Amino acid sequence: MTAAPAAIPVEKPSPYRAILWGGLIAGSLDITGACVSVAIQTGRSPQFVLQSVASGLLGADSYNRGLSSAALGLAIHFLIAYTWCTVYFIASRKLKFLINRAVICGLGYGVVVWLFMNGVVLPLTFHRSFFHPLRSVIIGMSILMVCIGLPIALVVRRYSDSTK
């Protein structure tokens, strides 16, 4: 009896896979981190977190719409995660250090995402500052560094052609 070598499939670089998996993983980790953080700090439910996302479009009425606004919030959340992944992927085509130094760049990208979301998007939506209290800043930035920036960078590196 002879043993035949097992064929291990080697996946070719794919921008679609990088964006699909990067957005899915980062979006899932980020919403989980947000829900856990909010539950610990305020005792509020994941439905409330998702309705908060939807409130950017629906306003305060989002909290009265039950699961439908929570589902909308989840869809918006993943759209944002996929957008951030796409931006990193496109940038990594020209800036090879984003792939070669994925861990450091991913953590830094999480800071960039946090600064943009908390310095531009959320203030435009909710008309208030999101740079305090310090505890919230540290928790929020840490979540985006570990749950958005790092997984996006690692997945983009995984599906990038290192020979180019």
Side-chain angles (χ1 to χ4, degrees):
M1 186 161 141
T2 62
I8 299 174
V10 178
E11 295 180 23
K12 293 182 179 180
S14 168
Y16 304 110
R17 285 188 177 143
I19 293 168
L20 172 74
W21 287 110
L24 181 64
I25 292 167
S28 298
L29 290 173
D30 180 47
I31 200 64
T32 300
C35 288
V36 169
S37 175
V38 168
I40 290 170
Q41 292 180 44
T42 68
R44 296 198 170 178
S45 71
Q47 181 174 332
F48 175 84
V49 173
L50 295 170
Q51 287 172 326
S52 295
V53 175
S55 72
L57 286 180
L58 303 176
D61 190 46
S62 174
Y63 302 102
N64 300 323
R65 294 189 181 192
L67 291 178
S68 65
S69 62
L72 176 62
L74 187 62
I76 293 168
H77 171 77
F78 274 98
L79 174 66
I80 293 168
Y82 278 109
T83 300
W84 284 116
C85 188
T86 302
V87 167
Y88 192 92
F89 178 84
I90 291 169
S92 76
R93 303 302 85 188
K94 294 287 184 193
L95 306 171
K96 294 300 178 187
F97 66 87
L98 294 175
I99 294 168
N100 298 332
R101 303 282 186 252
V103 173
I104 296 297
C105 290
L107 293 171
Y109 190 58
V111 173
V112 169
V113 171
W114 185 88
L115 285 169
F116 187 80
M117 294 301 294
N118 287 273
V120 178
V121 175
L122 294 175
L124 285 174
T125 304
F126 297 104
H127 310 291
R128 67 178 181 89
S129 173
F130 287 84
F131 289 113
H132 55 78
L134 181 59
R135 180 174 186 236
S136 294
V137 168
I138 292 169
I139 291 169
M141 190 180 297
S142 298
I143 289 172
L144 292 188
M145 290 171 68
V146 173
C147 296
I148 290 283
L150 186 59
I152 285 173
L154 293 175
V155 170
V156 167
R157 179 179 71 184
R158 164 72 177 84
Y159 287 103
S160 292
D161 185 0
S162 61
T163 62
K164 287 187 178 180

